[in-house]
Amino acid sequence: MSVDGLLLLATVGLLKPAGARTRRARGAVWSAFLLGIGVSLAANIAAAPALEWQPVLVAGWPPVALLLSVELLVHRPADRKVEEAEVQQESGSDQHGGDPLLAQARLIDARHRDRHQRPVSAETLRKELRVGAVRSRRLAAQVRGSRVEGVGDDELRSRGEAHG
């Protein structure tokens, strides 16, 4: 149970967004995860009914599968919306009005939604963009206004192009 608990907590730690974690904290989480995989692998192989390649392979597969699954999840491609917002930010303009702050606000909102499954607050925008409260509320309203529930970003763009 202790090895499974270690693996569970380390997996959760690896799948959380990096945010403000230090290099040392990331190293500790990876170390805990790899140690758990190693101990689990050794215990499974020791419990194999015979030390032949087939039973050892079957007994050793679960920790190896967990290792590969977590590797795939940790290194998955970034959310497409975040990538599109980053491209808009790098170009210094936005499709909807040319306001670079609005492009940055959309980028922050996309990242915030990816991490917290909710829209970014005006206060968070104020802190990250270093703007006043009135400007941050206006940006938050614009970001939310450009998102329609149940409509994808591609459909929103096509609607905007059709009407604009």
Side-chain angles (χ1 to χ4, degrees), residues 144-158:
R144 288 188 191 117
S146 67
R147 296 182 70 91
V148 176
E149 289 298 321
V151 177
D153 289 338
D154 293 335
E155 193 173 333
L156 274 174
R157 272 195 224 72
S158 65

Side-chain angles (χ1 to χ4, degrees), residues 82-101:
V82 173
E83 289 173 355
E84 290 173 359
E86 285 173 348
V87 168
Q88 288 177 354
Q89 179 186 14
E90 288 171 5
S91 68
S93 65
D94 186 43
Q95 291 177 345
H96 306 286
D99 184 357
L101 277 179

Side-chain angles (χ1 to χ4, degrees), residues 115-135:
R115 289 181 184 155
H116 305 288
Q117 286 75 47
R118 66 178 183 268
V120 69
S121 67
E123 181 63 16
T124 301
L125 286 176
R126 185 189 67 75
K127 289 177 184 174
E128 291 198 30
L129 296 174
R130 294 186 175 115
V131 296
V134 173
R135 180 72 171 127

Side-chain angles (χ1 to χ4, degrees), residues 33-161:
F33 179 72
L34 293 174
L35 177 66
I37 290 291
V39 170
S40 180
L41 186 60
N44 285 6
I45 290 173
L51 287 178
E52 297 173 4
W53 73 271
Q54 293 102 339
V56 167
L57 182 66
V58 170
W61 176 246
V64 172
L66 176 63
L67 172 68
L68 295 174
S69 299
V70 170
E71 263 307 301
L72 289 172
L73 288 172
V74 167
H75 298 293
R76 68 187 179 268
D79 189 24
R80 189 172 155 203
K81 294 177 208 166
V82 173
E83 289 173 355
E84 290 173 359
E86 285 173 348
V87 168
Q88 288 177 354
Q89 179 186 14
E90 288 171 5
S91 68
S93 65
D94 186 43
Q95 291 177 345
H96 306 286
D99 184 357
L101 277 179
L102 182 56
Q104 287 180 319
R106 285 198 175 109
L107 172 64
I108 293 166
D109 180 63
R111 285 187 180 148
H112 193 272
R113 284 176 188 272
D114 187 43
R115 289 181 184 155
H116 305 288
Q117 286 75 47
R118 66 178 183 268
V120 69
S121 67
E123 181 63 16
T124 301
L125 286 176
R126 185 189 67 75
K127 289 177 184 174
E128 291 198 30
L129 296 174
R130 294 186 175 115
V131 296
V134 173
R135 180 72 171 127
S136 67
R137 285 192 299 268
R138 193 173 301 137
L139 286 168
Q142 287 176 314
V143 167
R144 288 188 191 117
S146 67
R147 296 182 70 91
V148 176
E149 289 298 321
V151 177
D153 289 338
D154 293 335
E155 193 173 333
L156 274 174
R157 272 195 224 72
S158 65
R159 285 183 184 182
E161 289 169 4

